Amino acid sequence: MNLYFFGNMINYASLVMIAACANCFSLKNSQMNLGGEAQIYAGGFAASVACTFFWSKGVSPALILLAAAFFAGFAGFISAFLSGLFKYFKNVPELLTSFLFSAGTIPLIDGLIAGKFRIKEGNLLATEFLAENLRLKKLLPPSCFNVTFFWGIFFCLAAAFLIFRTNFGRRLEIYGKAREFSISSGFSRFFWETVPFSISGFFHGLTGFFATAGTYYTCHSGFYAGMGWNALSICLIAKSNPIIVIPVSLAYSLLYSLGTQSSLAGTTGFDLPSLIQGAALISIAVIYRTSAEKNS
């Protein structure tokens, strides 16, 4: 593996690391967010549109990036919050609603990118490219490796502190393991059905921001593909521990990048990365099934 592929491998690990960290909040609460890919896509689209709009108004680059990060996170937050509302008012499983919202959001954004927000030059299905001053600086050119990696480490450490060292984290785990007991003990059902899941959505959206500002410099159609599912796999392997998410993200990204590199070299088919992803998901299912049978 050369320096270019190594940098891209670390960069991809950075993105799935943030998304996997997002899943820690929902899984600790016994909620599974299947809308991660749509939330990442929505976050990337919101960040791209925000950057283009505020740049045209002459706003300073630092403020534009802050605003883009906020709107990206908010785009993911809204989707997850709606799932939480359905869970609270109608007791509809978030597993179902997050997947359905994802199924509806992705073609909607595809349509917007192919229509009103499409770049004026060329044939690429993408939004306008970000101005040079709005792009996160590459640290290992010509690869895409940038400061996203350090933000990923920071988010994982912050999530670990919040989950394992605060009252919020203790209550989160209690509610996830004993929902009825928690409600009878005075826990706010509305809060715990919506907030942890919404935090998960927010960080998925933030992943879209970092992908747009640090890797692609635009929101092109389908950039999210595989990212959300890989992040969910990583979180499950790490057993929802944000600290363990860091090395697992690096190991998973190494396998994924080696598969991609092998496909591009023509030694294997282009479906090898997807096969790696499928093998990881099947392994997780077997491990968790075995663990559940032992505990029963």
Side-chain angles (χ1 to χ4, degrees):
M1 179 180 290
N2 58 35
L3 195 63
Y4 173 76
F5 278 99
F6 176 76
N8 286 340
M9 183 270 290
I10 299 294
N11 183 65
Y12 186 79
S14 309
L15 296 173
V16 293
M17 190 185 299
I18 299 173
C21 182
N23 283 305
C24 289
F25 288 96
S26 56
L27 288 175
K28 277 291 181 183
N29 200 36
S30 295
Q31 296 175 310
M32 187 170 288
N33 186 358
L34 296 187
E37 296 213 328
Q39 291 158 12
I40 292 171
Y41 199 16
F45 178 74
S48 177
V49 172
C51 284
T52 301
F53 174 78
F54 288 116
W55 180 257
S56 67
K57 301 298 181 182
V59 181
S60 68
L63 289 178
I64 292 175
L65 289 175
L66 284 174
F70 170 78
F71 283 113
F74 186 72
F77 172 91
I78 285 296
S79 176
F81 182 69
L82 290 174
S83 292
L85 290 180
F86 273 97
K87 176 70 173 178
Y88 176 74
F89 287 108
K90 297 297 183 180
N91 204 30
V92 181
E94 73 289 336
L95 198 71
L96 175 62
T97 54
S98 61
F99 180 79
L100 292 177
F101 280 131
S102 175
T105 300
I106 289 174
L108 173 63
I109 298 176
D110 283 341
L112 291 173
I113 291 176
K116 180 179 179 180
F117 294 94
R118 184 176 178 179
I119 189 172
K120 301 300 187 294
E121 303 84 15
N123 297 319
L124 184 64
L125 286 175
T127 58
E128 295 287 340
F129 279 88
L130 273 61
E132 290 288 340
N133 291 345
L134 300 180
R135 302 178 182 184
L136 300 182
K137 186 179 179 181
K138 291 181 178 180
L139 301 179
L140 200 63
S143 74
C144 296
F145 178 65
N146 58 79
V147 295
T148 300
F149 178 74
F150 303 104
W151 278 106
I153 299 290
F154 170 76
F155 288 137
C156 285
L157 295 177
F161 175 80
L162 192 61
I163 290 173
F164 299 121
R165 290 289 184 268
T166 66
N167 188 48
F168 171 83
R170 287 188 288 271
R171 287 174 174 263
L172 176 70
E173 194 156 7
I174 291 171
Y175 193 89
K177 290 181 176 179
R179 181 170 174 264
E180 298 300 329
F181 169 78
S182 302
I183 294 173
S184 64
S185 299
F187 284 38
S188 170
R189 181 169 170 257
F190 178 81
F191 181 89
W192 294 106
E193 296 287 4
T194 58
V195 172
F197 205 71
S198 298
I199 293 174
S200 172
F202 181 87
F203 279 99
H204 274 106
L206 207 57
T207 303
F209 161 76
F210 282 108
T212 298
T215 301
Y216 303 112
Y217 308 136
T218 181
C219 177
H220 67 79
S221 181
F223 82 84
Y224 60 88
M227 201 178 294
W229 294 111
N230 289 339
L232 182 58
S233 302
I234 289 166
C235 187
L236 289 169
I237 293 170
K239 295 188 175 180
S240 306
N241 187 328
I243 299 297
I244 307 300
V245 160
I246 299 172
V248 173
S249 297
L250 292 170
Y252 195 99
S253 181
L254 175 62
L255 290 174
Y256 201 76
S257 296
L258 286 174
T260 303
Q261 184 177 2
S262 178
S263 299
L264 291 174
T267 55
T268 61
F270 280 96
D271 55 352
L272 182 60
S274 298
L275 291 175
I276 293 173
Q277 178 184 339
L281 287 170
I282 291 172
S283 300
I284 293 166
V286 171
I287 292 170
Y288 274 76
R289 176 66 180 268
T290 305
S291 177
E293 289 176 349
K294 287 181 179 179
N295 293 332
S296 61

